[in-house]
Amino acid sequence: MNMSHTRPDDELLSAWLDGELDADALGQVQAWLQDHPEDAARVRAWAADRDALRVRLDASLDQPLPQAWVDRLSAAAAPAANEPHWWRRALVAGLMLASGLGGAWVQRHSAVDAVPMAAKAAPAAIEPWVQRAVAAHAVYVPEQNHAVEVSVQQGDAAQRQQQQQHLSQWLSKRLAMPVTLFNLRSEGFELVGGRLLPDTASPGAQLMYQRQDGQRVTVYVLRHEAPPKAANAPDVRIETVAGLAAMVWYEDGAGCALVGSLPRAQMSKLADVMYAQAEEAAEGQPVRQ
Amino acid sequence: MQAPPAFCQQLLDALPRVRRYARSLSYDASHADDLVQTVMERALSCWHQFDQQRNVLVWLLSIAHNAHLDHIRRDNRMSLLEPEHLSDLQDANATHGAHDPGLRMDLLAALDRLSAEHREVLLLVGVEQLSYAECAQVLQVPTGTVMSRLSRARTAMRAALDGHPKATAHTNPAIRRVV
């Protein structure tokens, strides 16, 4: 019997939303939600409440801290008054000189002592959809038999071409926006296939690519307006979530994240290739597979 | 109390989040600020116990949670309340917001109407984005408890936003430490 016929309880649905399920349970809940729009709507409402609360409360992080707290921590960080400063430095310098690293380190160390602590604003939170993109990557990349929902690697070249067309049309229809199947062959990555994933406002799509050596990267796209960004901020930005790198950008009302564990230079190169193809696609030129 | 500058900087960077959590534990802003100061002092005096492999925020939030429980234990007003009375009190507090059920209730007002246990998990997992395991560490409860509490909290939050004033009343346990 198909497990997706058993209704997952609220705890499972809620844990699914937080990315706390193992691959088996996740697949079952996913299947259930695809077949049961009323439960999917309930989970979306929870996600919307969570995101709204996060946005609402993130504003409070910018309130300045009481000066007394900052002073307290600055005082705690400074060397104690009765501690012989010169003695500690001499000791450190002696140790460092012995290993040939001397002066520079001592200078830096002194500079640290002298700089008053700055109350920094917490870094801007990573968008929830990017976190879901990373979670989806972590869940599906280890899968051998069920890495994708729709494969584009069955049969001969003509059949594969057809499968790609089907995948692109299906995802474009479900996301209600054109979904570009990026061609990453120049970087040694072949498209394995894709899957549709529930996201908060509308579904997201994951495309999976694989290199000869088995290394995989995923691309997550969804309909999403670009958040405001600083004028000098780069178009493609890199985020690190749970040890994975995500190259994130927005284009024409869509959000796109390339997720992987490759060295940064390779991630950037892939993102460059994709960004160029997305721009071409936006201008109406099809990406040649 | 002296601590390494790098540790003090970590502490300072985390304080806005600690303050936010403290405010969710206490409606009283000045008590929340006292709580943050307590956390700061405890962290400074125990800095050598902090394992740099761990998430400093999770560590600080668990100190905040314990400090808050200590405070409640000292404070008779809270511990003398029977769960039913607490529910009555929360109902009384809730009614003033429920006069316009057609209107989508303000998020923060809805959050205020939840029990402390529900507020905590919504904040730790939903807003601070802790994993269930980290949240369980902070609250000192089993991970399964975090999971069930969170799903109930989400339902309660939804009910509050939909304008059902009684929806959370019967599931409001008094604040207590679950070991």
Side-chain angles (χ1 to χ4, degrees), chain A residues 5-288:
Chain A
H5 293 308
T6 323
R7 185 177 187 283
D9 61 18
D10 277 4
E11 289 185 19
L12 272 183
L13 293 177
S14 170
W16 175 84
L17 181 61
D18 296 313
E20 291 275 348
L21 296 180
D22 59 33
D24 272 359
L26 186 127
Q28 286 166 22
V29 172
Q30 205 111 296
W32 177 268
L33 290 177
Q34 270 171 13
D35 294 343
H36 298 84
E38 68 294 347
D39 279 331
R42 233 153 47 87
V43 174
R44 269 205 303 278
W46 291 342
D49 290 346
R50 175 195 62 186
D51 293 347
L53 195 60
R54 198 181 289 164
V55 169
R56 182 72 186 261
L57 290 177
D58 272 350
S60 73
L61 295 179
D62 294 335
Q63 287 171 19
L65 293 173
Q67 189 57 41
W69 297 359
V70 180
D71 291 347
R72 174 72 186 93
L73 288 174
S74 295
N82 59 0
E83 192 179 346
H85 229 164
W86 58 267
W87 183 81
R88 196 177 65 171
R89 290 224 178 120
L91 178 71
V92 167
L95 289 173
M96 297 309 281
L97 282 172
S99 63
L101 290 167
W105 196 88
V106 175
Q107 249 177 2
R108 246 185 49 208
H109 185 65
S110 316
V112 168
D113 275 355
V115 173
M117 276 206 293
K120 280 190 299 193
I126 297 168
E127 298 97 309
W129 74 266
V130 175
Q131 300 189 2
R132 286 191 284 276
V134 173
H137 175 97
V139 167
Y140 291 113
V141 155
E143 286 286 331
Q144 286 311 310
N145 298 326
H146 307 289
V148 295
E149 197 176 2
V150 175
S151 165
V152 298
Q153 295 194 321
Q154 314 288 323
D156 59 31
Q159 285 168 318
R160 290 174 177 213
Q161 188 69 38
Q162 222 170 17
Q163 288 155 10
Q164 285 180 3
Q165 256 176 18
H166 164 72
L167 177 63
S168 168
Q169 282 165 2
W170 173 58
L171 292 176
S172 299
K173 194 169 153 205
R174 301 301 291 269
L175 268 65
M177 67 171 207
V179 173
T180 312
L181 301 183
F182 299 98
N183 181 341
L184 304 180
R185 213 163 286 148
S186 64
E187 306 308 306
F189 283 88
E190 285 286 342
L191 180 63
V192 181
R195 66 168 70 236
L196 189 68
L197 292 169
D199 206 287
T200 48
S202 54
Q206 184 191 54
L207 303 174
M208 190 175 293
Y209 293 83
Q210 183 168 335
R211 204 163 59 183
Q212 202 78 53
D213 63 0
Q215 181 71 243
R216 287 170 168 178
V217 293
T218 61
V219 175
Y220 190 88
V221 287
L222 84 173
R223 214 140 44 91
H224 200 296
E225 284 310 317
K229 77 176 173 83
N232 57 354
D235 289 329
V236 180
R237 138 179 88 81
I238 185 159
E239 298 285 4
T240 312
V241 185
L244 288 164
M247 313 292 299
V248 182
W249 70 89
Y250 293 90
E251 170 99 33
D252 267 348
C256 189
L258 166 73
V259 187
S261 52
L262 297 172
R264 201 185 166 119
Q266 286 180 46
M267 292 294 290
S268 298
K269 185 75 213 314
L270 281 171
D272 284 348
V273 171
M274 290 168 56
Y275 190 69
Q277 289 179 7
E279 292 217 300
E280 280 174 20
E283 288 160 15
Q285 301 167 27
V287 174
R288 298 174 64 89

Side-chain angles (χ1 to χ4, degrees), chain B residues 79-117:
Chain B
S79 50
L80 284 180
L81 271 182
E82 292 300 319
E84 307 87 75
H85 295 146
L86 191 64
S87 297
D88 290 347
L89 198 70
Q90 285 177 331
D91 277 355
N93 285 340
T95 44
H96 68 262
H99 62 276
D100 192 2
L103 203 72
R104 191 179 151 92
M105 207 177 144
D106 176 66
L107 272 172
L108 299 185
L111 189 68
D112 273 357
R113 281 169 58 181
L114 304 186
S115 68
E117 288 185 345

